[in-house]
Every structure is written in structure tokens, then in C-alpha cells.
Amino acid sequence: MKATRRWFLGAVGKGSVALAFVVQLAAAARAFLPNVLYEPLKRFKLKQPDQYPQGYTFDADRRLFVVRDQERFHVISAVCTHLGCTVQWRQDEFACPCHGSRFSTDGTVIAGPAPRPLPWYEVSLSPDGFLEVDSAQEVARGFSFTPPRAKA
Amino acid sequence: MTARERAGALWRRLTWTWDPASEHESGDAIVRNLWLHWFPAKVARQSASWNYSLWLGAASAILFLILNVTGLLLMFFYVPSTEHAYGSMKDLDYAVTLGWLLRNQHRWAAHAMVAVVFLHMARVFFTGAYRGQRAWNWLVGLALLLATLLASFTGYLLPWDQLAFWAVTVGTNIAREAPLIGEWIRFVLLGGSEIGQNALLRFYVLHIFFLPAIIWILFAYHMWRVRRDGGLAAVEPIRQARSVQPKATPATKSYSLFGLTRGTSVVVRSSTELEEQDEVFASPNLTRRLALVFLIVFNLTLLWSLLANAPLEEAANPAVTPNPAKAPWYFLWLQELVASTTIPIGGLRISGGLIGGIVVPGILLLVAAIWPWLDGSPAGNEGVWFPRRRLRQNLVFTLVFAIIIALILMDIFLRGPYWHLYWPGTSWPAMPRTL
Amino acid sequence: MEPRPPDFERADYAWMVIGSVVFFLLVAIAAWRALHAEWQPIQRQFRTILEGHDQMEAARRFDLGIRQIWNPEIGVVDRCVTCHLGYEWGSRLPADLPQPFTPHPALPYLDRHPFTSFGCTVCHGGQGWATQAAAAHTGGEHWDDPMLSRALALRYGLAQSQFIQMRCNYCHRHDLSTPGMDEINEAKALFKKKKCLVCHVVEGKGGLIGPELTYFGDKNPELFDFAGVDGSRTVFNWSVQHLMNPDKVSPKTAMPSFGFQPEQAKALTLMLLSWKRNHFPPQYIPRPIEIAEAPYKMVTVAPEPPAVPGADAGRQVFRTRGCAACHTVGAGRLLGPDLNGVGARRDQNWLREWLADPAAVIRAHPDLANWPQDYEGVLMPNQNLSPAEIDALVAYLSRL
């Protein structure tokens, strides 16, 4: 096939059509990746630290446990790492009703098909004094947050 | 002509293709009627017999047709919004005249279609009808199987009840276990990170348009391939039988080119086509039997719909996981795998979602897809049930099939609350209620 | 004329006939079911009743068909009135008509709860969408909001008029007292008198010793421990038995036994189960009949206990183990006595024994037998302190 002008123009024409097609397809595909979500934010406020009792408090809406030990706080996700059911707190362990996964008090897997321990989320204090959780930020087990206080 | 004679003539003109009065009309019918061009003029008796194919392929197509029609009607009543979906289901059950029947027909036909396509696949395997040139159609059939399962999966989110919501939670979390792209796949499927309005709408559009369209297109191709492959594999034994008896050479004229050649003209001496005694006309025999299968299948779904109501649990509640939370029966074997195949290797625990949900089914699908080329049985064993030369292949298939069925039965009857095993005879604990 | 082609299989004809017959039968059954709904003979019967009570005009205009009360503001679709046709006929039909035709009882507050605004299920529970009795009343296995029938109430030893107050309180939660809601009113009075807020948070106020109760009615029934509960595993049962004997239902609980009678425990349970997340528009929330601040007018956070040099460990135990919920030091009596000067009143051995097991001390000292009465019938619960904690506390208290 000789690189004639005719051939070149033909290639440009066909190439443009192909490119247009591909770009259209890519644009349509991109439209399907949402830019806004009608979902709760990943970073959200809970209640004020003083409103949490000692021990494990279940937040059904946010699907997490707020754990208070004296003045130290940490947050454990209540979403089973196996297939996403909500685990239940049973005084000395978490138990998932779906396939029998069990986790110890710090989220380590002790039985069942869960592949990973329950994640701990980052906790901090919002500027207006509420506990703030960032569920997009996992922290290591053993993390704790002590809100600064006016009195010791 | 009198009016009555004219009416009779008109009726004859409209219906002669379905009720041909002679062999000439039978042959003519398939080219003169849009619907009948689907069929060849003649089919082998063996192909049309009950005990070869059990008409399972036809049954699955009929079930799909029922699903299309009931589904279209349901679209006038169902509202794909998280606020209104559940209420629209309740309206169908209680307020719409015959809404309960429509809904039941759709649900039970869906369950039946999944079962029948699996049985059809088994029949094709056991009769070796995926060998040789039919291997490509086997692949198309596998694609149809996948599309059927996906259509079922997208469909049962739509009622937006607890079963729907948590089954899709489990399903999309399995998808997330795919390495590297899992999280992204889940995000695109759901249109977000949670199951909400976006997910409902995407599953709805997939369920009512894209998956049925894919199934229709693949189905058309699937049928065309049957024609192109020379009909159902049932014709193969007949062909072989005929080919060992060469026909007598008929007397032919011989023509010479410029007087240079001598002898008879080219004659085919062995028969590669079916003979007259092997075949019947498609119209009316095949059409009649197809109508009969339609009647039987439709009656069965109708009877089932009159006897049992399609389930509907409480409205979807993301805060409360039902106990036990089970997938529909055709995915229960997957759920059992997913729940049991978390493997600790060294310090890592590989999720059952990956192993049981993606790897094992993926391997099964792959093996099934390349089986026509893995199959080591000698040629010439297609078109009959359980030929001795295919014993090993059939045993392997039966084993896998039996394991799947066993897992399904186990999960239906033995898995109770908290996914504990309850042996038959022991009662499941009553789950606590508020009042 | 060429001969007809030989038939493939004659049996197909026979099966077609059979199949067609079966088909028509099934269609006939489906049609029969569609045309013979459960409610149709009931509606015809009602028309006869209307005629029998000289309501000829209404009987003439009476149309058969599914009826519903639809109120999108509160998300109500109540088809109960398809069968319960007498509900608005209280003034013209006798009150003793058999169900489902019985007119709604002429309650004094019915005017302020018009049917079109409230529907039926808001007060009575059940599945409003349904047009069959069983589905509407109990809803089946997957419906956790049954109708509050007389039978269900009786199962808990209550009358329907008492049981139903559970739902009245969905809107009337912040009334201090509401005429016609005797049980709930008693529960609210008990709630204030027994100072439940000392240990429980309700709507943002209260102590942290026990779990938050703001939306107790929404709690997943599976999260309750039924090991110590007799009878059916319902949250209602759990709550009643827990109120009457906390230690049996929740072993080692810090909640004291208040000596509630069964009627009181049931009243409190009705109130607790009424505490659910409901999204009623403002016009449905009644003006408080009395200012409902009173339950919250109490000291919920005791002042900090004083620091005592050399006994800081004990002070920490005092703060973190909840002693401050019932005792102050020098700030007056709460549920328990003011501990200022307790070091002078009691010796260390007595304190040690008391902290280890208050009930045993009461049993061993007859002169203390009237103590629970002196403190509103509340005995200090065993706080399950470790020996180290007891030592530290004793060292602290003996210096107060």
C-alpha cells in the first residue's frame, strides 16, 4: 500500500471516526463514575466525649463501636470483614450472625471465615468539641485518642 | 363464494403454514412464514424426541419468554426508588388485581429458568453435544448461563426488602475481594460505596434492559449455531450409520468437454445427509410439540404461582442484619464456599470471598469453557446418553454437579441462625422479637 | 391432492388436549381467586347491615372495592377500612356490631385524632398494606410490627387500652402527663421518682453507668441476652423481668433492684418500647400538656470529689467506678448518702466489708435492715470491685 495522499486522507478520516467513537465511549463510561454521592461522609462527627459511657457503645446508624477506657477513646468498625454484615457485641467478643465469624475485644479474628480483623478508625476531636471519626483512615490496633480537657 | 366459504378461505390463508395439508405445504411453510423460518424444513426424529433432549433448551427459552412478558407488565407497577420500591411490591401483592399472580409467575419462572438451564447444560454434557464444531455453541451457552445468573442477581435487589439488601451486600462484597480492581468494580456496580438509590437504579436498568438484550442476542446466535452445526447432536449417530452404507451408483449421462473425457459424471456414493425415514417436517410436528412444551411449562409455573407466594421479607434495614442471611438457593452453594474457604497462610488470612466467591467459580467456569478441548474421549460418541466411551467425562461432571446440589441442600436445610449447623430433627431456635 | 404427511407422534394431540384443559382449569382458579377476595363478602354484608339499620341512601351509594386511608405525610397506607367498614359509623350504627363492622369506640380524644390524618396502623400497629386479615393483623414471620390486639395484650397480662398506649407515646413522648394514658403517665412519674437519669442517658441528658435508652424501642431484639428470661423471647418480656429483677436477667449488673411490682414494670416497659425514631411532621407532635422539663431537673453530674493527699488512687476509683452517680462528698444527698465525714462514721473494716458485698452487710447487721427504705427502697448494688480497688477506695474514704 503506497503512502499516497489518498491513503493518508483515508487514514485520517477513518482514524477520526475511530477516535470519535472511542472518546464518546470513554466519556459515557466516565459519566458512570459518580462525582457526588448521596451518602453519609466518610468523615463525620459523633457525640461529645463526655456523653459516652465507659466500655463499648454501639452506634447502629454508623455501624461502629465507640470504646471508652477512662479518658481514652478508640473506634472499631462493626462491619464484618467477611461479607459486610453487622457484628453484635457479646460482652467479651464480637459475633457476626451471618457466617459465624467471631472477633476478640480488639477486633482480632478468633473464629469463622473473616479474613481480616475489624478495622479501627481514626478518632479525633472536632473544633467544636465533638468526637470526629474518619472511616477512610484506618489506624493500628492499640490506637487511642484522649480528648484534651480543661481539668485533669 | 358464499360468505361462509370466503371466511373459510381467509382462515385457511392465515393458518395454512401452521397446519399444512400436504408435504408440499410443509416444506413451503417454513419459507413463507416469518416465525417458521427459524426452523429447517425437516428435522431428525431423534432431535424432536422427548427422551433425547428432554426439550430442556426449549423449556428455558419458554421460561425466558414468560419472564419477559411478566416482567414488562410488572414494570407498570414497580417503582425503582428506595422510598417506594417496597410499597410498590406490597401494592402488587394486595392492591393490584392479579398482581400477586403476576409477581409469583415472575419469581417462580426465574427460579425455574435457573434450574432448567443448569439441567440443559447437564443434558448437553451427558450427550456429548459440545464436541467438535459444537464447541463454539457450548461457549455461547455458558455465556447465556452467566447472563441468566446475573439477571437473577440484579432482579432480586429490586424488592428492596431485607433479603434483597443483604444478598446484594454479600454479592458486592464478594466482588470487592477481586485483587486490585475489586474495590473499583464494587464502586461502579453500586454507583457509590453503599447500597442505596444509585445501586437500585443501576441494577434496575441492567435487569430490565441490558441483561435481557444480551440474552436475546446470545439466544438468537445460539439457535443459529444449532442450524449451522447441522442440527442437534442427535443427528450424529444417524449420520454415521448412514455413511457406512454407500448408495448404489445411479446411471448418469456423461458429457464430454470437446469430446475428450469419458465415463460417468461425478456422483456422491456415500450418504452424508439424513434419509427420508429419519426425518419429519418441522411444520406441523416440531411446532406442535413446541406448543405442547409451552403449555406444560406455562401450566407448571401457573400452578406453582397459585400454590405458593413469592417471598417478601421486611423492608430493607441497613442497621439490622437478618439471621440467618441466606442467598437464593442457586447461590447457596457459593455462599457455603464463601463461608468455609477462608484459608490462613502464614500470617495472612485469604478471604473466603476471594477463594470461594471468585477463584473456585472462576476455575469451574474456565474448565467448563475449555472442556470441549480438554475432552479426551474418542470422536463419534455424540448424540447419545451416557455412551460407555465417555464414562470418565460424565463421571467427573456428575461429581461436580452432585457436590453443588449437595451444598445447596445442606445450606437450605441444615444452616440455621448464626450459620450454625443444625442436624435434621433438631429445631432451630426461635429468633427473638420485639413483642 | 397429495396425501397428508404421516403424523409424528399421535400422543402429542392427546397431551395437547390434556394440557389445554389443565390450563383452563388453572386460569379459572386464578380468575376465581381474583374475583373472590376475602373482603368482598364482608363488604356485601356491610351493605346489608346498612340497609338493616335504615341507612338506605348510604347503602345505595355503597361501592364495593378496596378502600384505604392514605396519608403520605406520615407514610401511611391503611387498607384496614376495606373490612373495618363501620369505623366512622359510631353515631348511627350500634356499638355492639360484630367485628369487623364494629364502629370505632367513641373515645373522648377521637376528635383530635381524625382518621384521615392518622389512619389506623399508627395507633393499632399491623400491616396496613394488606387486604387479607391474617397478613394485616400479624404480618407473618417477616413483620415485626404486629397489630396490638386484645390477644397480644392479654399475653402480657394487659388490657388492649393499656397496651396501645405504647403507640400513643410515639407522639406524646414529651408530655409530662396525658389524660387517657394512665399507664404511661405512671411510668413517667416512676421515671422521675426513681431517678433513672442518674445512670441512663435519655435524649442527651443522663449518666453513663447504664446504656443509653433514647431509642430503646428500636434496638435489635437479637442484642438482648435471654438466658435469664422466662417465657417467650421478646423484648417486652426481657424488659419487664429486667426491671423487676435486674441481677437475674443481667448478672453482675450495677442496676439496683427497685422492687417494682409487675404492673409498674409493665408500665415502664410500655414507655421504653415507645421510644423509637419516628418521623412525624411537627403538626403531629402535641403541645406539651405540662412543661416536660421536670424529669431533667436534677443533678446528673455530681461535683468532683475532693482530692486527698496520698489517696489519689482511691479518688480515681471513686470517679471512674460511678460512685459519683449516687454519692457526693459534701454536696448533699443524692440517691445515696453524702460521704463527707464517712471516715469518722465508719471504720476501715466496715467500709471494706460494705464495698465487697453491701447485701451481706445488711444481712449481718439487723440494725441496718431498714436502710433500703431510707433510700427510696434502693439497695446499693455490688459494684464488683477488685481487692486492689477496694483497698484504694477504703484508703480514700477513711480520710474524708
Side-chain angles (χ1 to χ4, degrees):
Chain A
M1 181 177 47
K2 275 170 52 180
T4 61
R5 241 199 315 268
R6 175 171 293 179
W7 172 85
F8 179 73
L9 289 173
V12 166
K14 288 177 207 152
S16 313
V17 169
L19 190 66
F21 187 73
V22 164
V23 168
Q24 284 270 51
L25 210 62
R30 177 63 185 87
F32 277 94
L33 296 176
N35 300 314
V36 289
L37 292 175
Y38 289 93
E39 291 171 7
L41 292 173
K42 292 280 182 206
R43 197 187 170 84
F44 49 85
K45 290 190 213 173
L46 297 175
K47 299 193 280 202
Q48 290 166 326
D50 271 337
Q51 294 176 304
Y52 284 98
Q54 300 290 327
Y56 288 73
T57 306
F58 178 54
D59 188 327
D61 291 328
R62 301 291 191 178
R63 294 177 78 194
L64 49 80
F65 290 92
V66 177
V67 187
R68 179 176 185 173
D69 177 20
Q70 312 285 11
E71 297 304 306
R72 297 196 301 275
F73 289 83
H74 64 266
V75 159
I76 307 183
S77 164
V79 179
C80 183
T81 52
H82 181 226
L83 290 177
C85 298
T86 309
V87 304
Q88 299 172 357
W89 171 244
R90 299 205 171 284
Q91 298 318 113
D92 56 354
E93 64 177 17
F94 298 100
C96 180
C98 286
H99 306 108
S101 296
R102 288 188 1 251
F103 308 82
S104 67
T105 51
D106 68 350
T108 323
V109 182
I110 43 181
R116 289 175 294 278
L118 293 174
W120 289 34
Y121 293 142
E122 195 205 2
V123 193
S124 56
L125 200 69
S126 71
D128 50 350
F130 290 83
L131 278 183
E132 194 160 34
V133 174
D134 191 349
S135 58
Q137 272 290 101
E138 270 189 52
V139 292
R141 275 202 301 292
F143 168 91
S144 81
F145 171 71
T146 307
R149 284 181 165 291
K151 38 188 180 179
Chain B
M1 276 205 277
T2 65
R4 191 190 161 112
E5 282 167 350
R6 252 192 236 118
L10 180 63
W11 177 251
R12 187 83 201 121
R13 271 182 57 198
L14 290 172
T15 60
W16 71 269
T17 51
W18 300 101
D19 185 23
S22 65
E23 290 194 356
H24 178 85
E25 285 200 350
S26 283
D28 220 16
I30 59 132
V31 291
R32 299 278 294 274
N33 182 316
L34 172 64
W35 303 106
L36 291 177
H37 90 280
W38 190 263
F39 300 120
K42 289 185 173 181
V43 288
R45 270 180 201 279
Q46 190 53 8
S47 293
S49 75
W50 291 113
N51 47 26
Y52 172 68
S53 65
L54 302 171
W55 284 71
L56 288 169
S60 49
I62 288 165
L63 285 166
F64 185 60
L65 185 67
I66 294 175
L67 283 168
N68 271 262
V69 172
T70 53
L72 273 171
L73 292 172
L74 283 168
M75 279 169 66
F76 280 101
F77 301 103
Y78 171 75
V79 181
S81 129
T82 52
E83 276 85 39
H84 297 292
Y86 189 72
S88 68
M89 299 298 292
K90 288 288 181 185
D91 278 350
L92 272 166
D93 272 346
Y94 296 115
V96 174
T97 304
L98 291 170
W100 56 273
L101 188 64
L102 194 60
R103 195 176 150 244
N104 289 348
Q105 282 266 65
H106 195 76
R107 176 77 72 127
W108 301 135
H111 282 320
M113 184 175 172
V114 173
V116 169
V117 300
F118 267 110
L119 290 173
H120 175 63
M121 178 170 111
R123 191 284 293 167
V124 170
F125 191 93
F126 289 139
T127 53
Y130 56 85
R131 304 286 313 274
Q133 59 193 344
R134 294 189 173 82
W136 185 238
N137 213 13
W138 168 259
L139 288 178
V140 175
L142 278 178
L144 277 166
L145 173 67
L146 275 181
T148 305
L149 289 173
L150 276 174
S152 204
F153 182 64
T154 50
Y156 71 71
L157 175 66
L158 303 185
W160 205 249
D161 66 341
Q162 283 284 68
L163 171 67
F165 186 87
W166 291 100
V168 170
T169 301
V170 165
T172 49
N173 281 338
I174 289 179
R176 180 164 54 185
E177 298 292 339
L180 295 175
I181 52 169
E183 189 74 54
W184 185 85
I185 288 181
R186 185 174 179 273
F187 187 77
V188 173
L189 258 181
L190 297 181
S193 47
E194 295 184 358
I195 299 176
Q197 181 62 64
N198 277 359
L200 183 58
L201 210 42
R202 285 177 187 217
F203 274 52
Y204 180 65
V205 176
L206 283 174
H207 181 75
I208 65 165
F209 182 71
F210 284 104
L211 284 163
I214 289 172
I215 293 179
W216 275 116
I217 292 170
L218 285 175
F219 171 63
Y221 188 56
H222 196 63
M223 296 309 291
W224 182 80
R225 284 294 318 188
V226 170
R227 292 288 303 275
R228 192 212 169 288
D229 292 334
L232 299 190
V235 305
E236 298 303 328
I238 308 174
R239 283 222 181 97
Q240 284 163 32
R242 296 280 166 261
S243 67
V244 301
Q245 302 154 16
K247 284 203 283 225
T249 317
T252 58
K253 264 187 161 182
S254 96
Y255 295 90
S256 62
L257 187 61
F258 302 133
L260 295 175
T261 63
R262 294 184 193 286
T264 59
S265 57
V266 175
V267 153
V268 174
R269 299 190 64 223
S270 73
S271 168
T272 54
E273 293 306 316
L274 302 173
E275 307 259 319
E276 205 172 306
Q277 73 257 36
D278 306 320
E279 296 182 312
V280 288
F281 279 102
S283 173
N285 298 297
L286 201 64
T287 53
R288 188 188 317 122
R289 190 158 276 195
L290 191 60
L292 180 56
V293 174
F294 177 86
L295 248 188
I296 294 173
V297 168
F298 192 78
N299 280 348
L300 283 172
T301 57
L302 189 52
L303 180 67
W304 195 357
S305 302
L306 290 174
L307 292 176
N309 280 331
L312 189 67
E313 298 191 1
E314 290 153 311
N317 184 352
V320 174
T321 307
N323 198 343
K326 288 189 187 174
W329 64 271
Y330 40 83
F331 286 144
L332 271 179
W333 64 282
L334 266 180
Q335 189 173 6
E336 180 64 37
L337 283 179
V338 154
S340 327
T341 56
T342 294
I343 300 180
I345 296 186
L348 277 175
R349 277 170 76 88
I350 305 189
S351 169
L354 175 62
I355 296 176
I358 297 179
V359 170
V360 168
I363 290 178
L364 279 176
L365 193 62
L366 191 65
V367 169
I370 61 177
W371 191 264
W373 296 277
L374 285 180
D375 189 312
S377 63
N381 282 291
E382 302 86 32
V384 275
W385 281 83
F386 302 121
R388 207 167 306 133
R389 291 271 184 91
R390 287 175 40 77
L391 183 64
R392 194 157 20 111
Q393 284 77 10
N394 287 336
L395 273 179
V396 169
F397 187 88
T398 309
L399 189 66
V400 173
F401 214 63
I403 290 177
I404 291 178
I405 304 252
L407 286 176
I408 290 175
L409 290 174
M410 167 185 163
D411 275 15
I412 293 178
F413 295 109
L414 301 184
R415 286 284 186 202
Y418 295 98
W419 205 248
H420 288 153
L421 263 178
Y422 290 89
W423 294 110
T426 57
S427 56
W428 293 10
M431 294 315 288
R433 304 169 67 83
T434 306
L435 288 176
Chain C
M1 257 283 263
E2 289 171 44
R4 274 191 91 89
D7 279 330
F8 174 39
E9 266 190 46
R10 308 232 43 194
D12 280 7
Y13 282 115
W15 285 113
M16 288 276 272
V17 170
I18 294 174
S20 306
V21 167
V22 170
F23 174 71
F24 283 121
L25 258 174
L26 294 174
V27 167
I29 293 175
W32 187 90
R33 269 174 61 170
L35 294 171
H36 288 81
E38 206 179 274
W39 47 265
Q40 281 166 342
I42 292 177
Q43 290 198 342
R44 280 187 222 109
Q45 208 180 332
F46 187 70
R47 183 161 43 200
T48 313
I49 289 178
L50 284 175
E51 288 164 357
H53 288 87
D54 209 27
Q55 302 294 326
M56 306 313 276
E57 182 61 25
R60 200 179 54 77
R61 284 188 290 123
F62 187 83
D63 284 328
L64 293 186
I66 298 179
R67 294 157 178 237
Q68 65 185 26
I69 298 176
W70 174 48
N71 191 320
E73 287 189 8
I74 50 172
V76 144
V77 178
D78 284 343
R79 301 190 175 119
C80 326
V81 295
T82 303
C83 289
H84 290 273
L85 294 148
Y87 74 102
E88 51 187 359
W89 286 88
S91 57
R92 292 193 246 167
L93 288 179
D96 60 354
L97 275 177
Q99 286 288 17
F101 308 113
T102 324
H104 197 288
L107 300 165
Y109 44 83
L110 212 53
D111 295 341
R112 269 160 289 150
H113 299 76
F115 296 117
T116 44
S117 302
F118 286 81
C120 321
T121 55
V122 168
C123 301
H124 289 277
Q127 185 181 187
W129 281 300
T131 50
Q132 289 131 29
H137 296 172
T138 57
E141 185 193 336
H142 293 292
W143 188 261
D144 201 25
D145 190 18
M147 184 181 71
L148 302 184
S149 62
R150 219 162 278 143
L152 188 61
L154 209 58
R155 220 181 290 165
Y156 295 111
L158 289 168
Q160 190 185 27
S161 58
Q162 299 170 313
F163 205 45
I164 214 170
Q165 291 172 38
M166 182 165 46
R167 299 189 74 104
C168 308
N169 210 37
Y170 286 177
C171 289
H172 287 273
R173 176 171 183 166
H174 297 104
D175 294 353
L176 190 57
S177 129
T178 323
M181 286 169 59
D182 296 336
E183 269 63 37
I184 295 286
N185 294 340
E186 187 194 343
K188 290 175 178 171
L190 274 173
F191 186 83
K192 176 180 169 190
K193 183 167 172 222
K194 299 297 181 183
K195 300 188 170 61
C196 307
L197 283 182
V198 170
C199 294
H200 294 279
V201 167
V202 179
E203 295 189 297
K205 288 201 165 85
L208 301 174
I209 311 298
E212 182 180 349
L213 297 177
T214 312
Y215 297 119
F216 182 81
D218 277 333
K219 200 164 163 191
N220 182 358
E222 285 176 38
L223 297 179
F224 292 88
D225 181 7
F226 286 91
V229 172
D230 301 323
S232 61
R233 293 151 67 103
T234 61
V235 177
F236 197 99
N237 265 341
W238 187 96
S239 175
V240 168
Q241 293 181 31
H242 175 81
L243 283 164
M244 287 174 57
N245 195 343
D247 198 54
K248 175 167 179 275
V249 173
S250 306
K252 301 217 186 137
T253 178
M255 174 159 160
S257 169
F258 291 91
F260 288 126
Q261 297 302 309
E263 292 71 36
Q264 294 174 312
K266 286 176 196 172
L268 280 166
T269 300
L270 287 174
M271 183 181 74
L272 286 168
L273 285 179
S274 77
W275 288 351
K276 294 168 75 108
R277 274 190 196 81
N278 291 304
H279 302 287
F280 294 119
Q283 61 266 31
Y284 284 86
I285 308 300
R287 290 178 298 111
I289 294 185
E290 291 177 41
I291 306 295
E293 286 171 11
Y296 306 119
K297 273 207 176 84
M298 56 183 303
V299 178
T300 55
V301 177
E304 287 284 329
V308 168
D312 206 52
R315 179 169 175 264
Q316 284 298 27
V317 175
F318 189 97
R319 286 178 66 230
T320 58
R321 291 308 300 265
C323 314
C326 300
H327 298 280
T328 70
V329 182
R333 179 173 139 164
L334 286 183
L335 213 55
D338 189 333
L339 294 178
N340 196 19
V342 68
R345 295 198 292 273
R346 301 284 173 194
D347 64 38
Q348 292 204 10
N349 277 333
W350 192 97
L351 285 173
R352 203 178 297 277
E353 280 177 25
W354 176 260
L355 287 169
D357 190 349
V361 171
I362 300 255
R363 282 196 299 274
H365 293 89
D367 55 310
L368 303 178
N370 60 341
W371 261 19
Q373 280 92 296
D374 288 349
Y375 294 96
E376 311 198 19
V378 178
L379 173 67
M380 170 163 153
N382 189 336
Q383 297 294 320
N384 299 312
L385 299 166
S386 69
E389 285 170 322
I390 295 180
D391 284 340
L393 248 189
V394 168
Y396 176 71
L397 292 172
S398 58
R399 286 175 220 214
L400 287 178

